[in-house]
């Protein structure tokens, strides 16, 4: 009976962490879009809390896994956004440090609240990336977090193509972590 209670407790901890991960990602997105770089006052502590809570829910090996994923995907995402900015697809009123932090939160969510997408066929991952990746930027533009000089239609097409490629790549990169040690 006590092992069953322990199993239920572990499941609820894990589910609670998944909920925390999803909620923190949404909080980081919304505060970044609405408050710009001031959102870092919330985004950075939420990311630190992720790594404080993580070993209580998974093994200690999850920390280097999430850090590695965060670095790979975060840097790639920031590079893509920088290239899109240089290409004139995006314009920001101030350097979007909040967006860099959002990339870090997105990256760690691939092991937690977005983990179910990893089981989908690559074609479905590409479709989800095209739809939701582009919608995220269009929503950000609707709240004046970013300007889309090419207009919504052209920008949406560019972003859909890029995100159709990126999401499967991000998922592959999140799977490629090798444990250290």
């Amino acid at each position: 009976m006590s092992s069953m209670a322990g199993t239920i407790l572990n499941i609820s901890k894990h589910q609670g962490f998944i909920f925390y991960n999803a909620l923190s990602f949404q909080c980081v997105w919304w505060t970044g879009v609405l408050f710009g770089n001031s959102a870092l006052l919330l985004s950075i502590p939420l990311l630190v809390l992720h790594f404080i809570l993580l070993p209580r829910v998974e093994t200690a090996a999850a920390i280097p896994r999430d850090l590695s994923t965060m670095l790979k995907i975060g840097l790639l995402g920031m590079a893509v956004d920088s290239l899109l900015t240089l290409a004139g697809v995006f314009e920001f009123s101030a350097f979007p440090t909040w967006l860099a932090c959002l990339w870090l939160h997105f990256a760690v969510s691939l092991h937690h609240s977005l983990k179910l997408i990893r089981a989908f066929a690559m074609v479905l991952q590409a479709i989800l990336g095209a739809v939701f990746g582009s919608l995220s930027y269009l929503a950000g533009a609707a709240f004046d977090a970013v300007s889309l000089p090419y207009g919504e239609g052209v920008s949406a097409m560019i972003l859909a193509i890029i995100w159709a490629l990126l999401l499967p790549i991000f998922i592959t990169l999140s799977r490629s972590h090798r444990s250290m040690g």
Side-chain angles (χ1 to χ4, degrees):
M1 184 65 113
S2 81
S3 69
M4 188 165 91
T7 302
I8 291 169
L9 182 61
N10 285 336
I11 290 171
S12 73
K13 272 192 210 178
H14 189 258
Q15 289 173 335
F17 186 75
I18 290 171
F19 178 74
Y20 166 78
N21 179 263
L23 184 63
S24 68
F25 179 63
Q26 289 303 309
C27 285
V28 169
W29 190 92
W30 279 103
T31 57
V33 165
L34 296 175
F35 304 111
N37 290 336
S38 298
L40 295 175
L41 296 172
L42 177 65
S43 301
I44 292 170
L46 287 175
L47 198 56
V48 170
L49 185 57
H50 170 90
F51 285 99
I52 291 170
L53 295 174
L54 186 59
R56 289 168 170 73
V57 180
E58 296 188 28
T59 66
I63 293 173
R65 177 204 65 203
D66 278 15
L67 284 170
S68 173
T69 300
M70 192 173 68
L71 273 173
K72 290 183 286 190
I73 292 170
L75 290 173
L76 180 56
M78 289 179 233
V80 169
D81 279 352
S82 295
L83 289 173
L84 289 169
T85 301
L86 289 172
V89 177
F90 299 149
E91 282 183 1
F92 295 95
S93 58
F95 184 78
T97 310
W98 64 270
L99 188 56
C101 204
L102 179 60
W103 274 110
L104 301 178
H105 279 270
F106 170 75
V108 296
S109 71
L110 290 171
H111 288 294
H112 306 288
S113 59
L114 296 176
K115 186 176 183 174
L116 68 109
I117 298 171
R118 294 165 65 147
F120 296 167
M122 194 175 286
V123 161
L124 184 53
Q125 292 171 0
I127 292 168
L128 290 171
V131 171
F132 293 105
S134 59
L135 282 177
S136 180
Y137 288 92
L138 292 174
F143 286 100
D144 296 324
V146 61
S147 296
L148 303 172
Y150 295 145
E152 288 182 2
V154 171
S155 297
M157 287 190 301
I158 293 168
L159 290 165
I161 292 166
I162 289 169
W163 270 92
L165 298 170
L166 281 181
L167 188 58
I169 290 170
F170 290 152
I171 291 168
T172 300
L173 287 173
S174 75
R175 288 182 179 142
S176 67
H177 174 75
R178 308 243 189 262
S179 81
M180 304 168 145

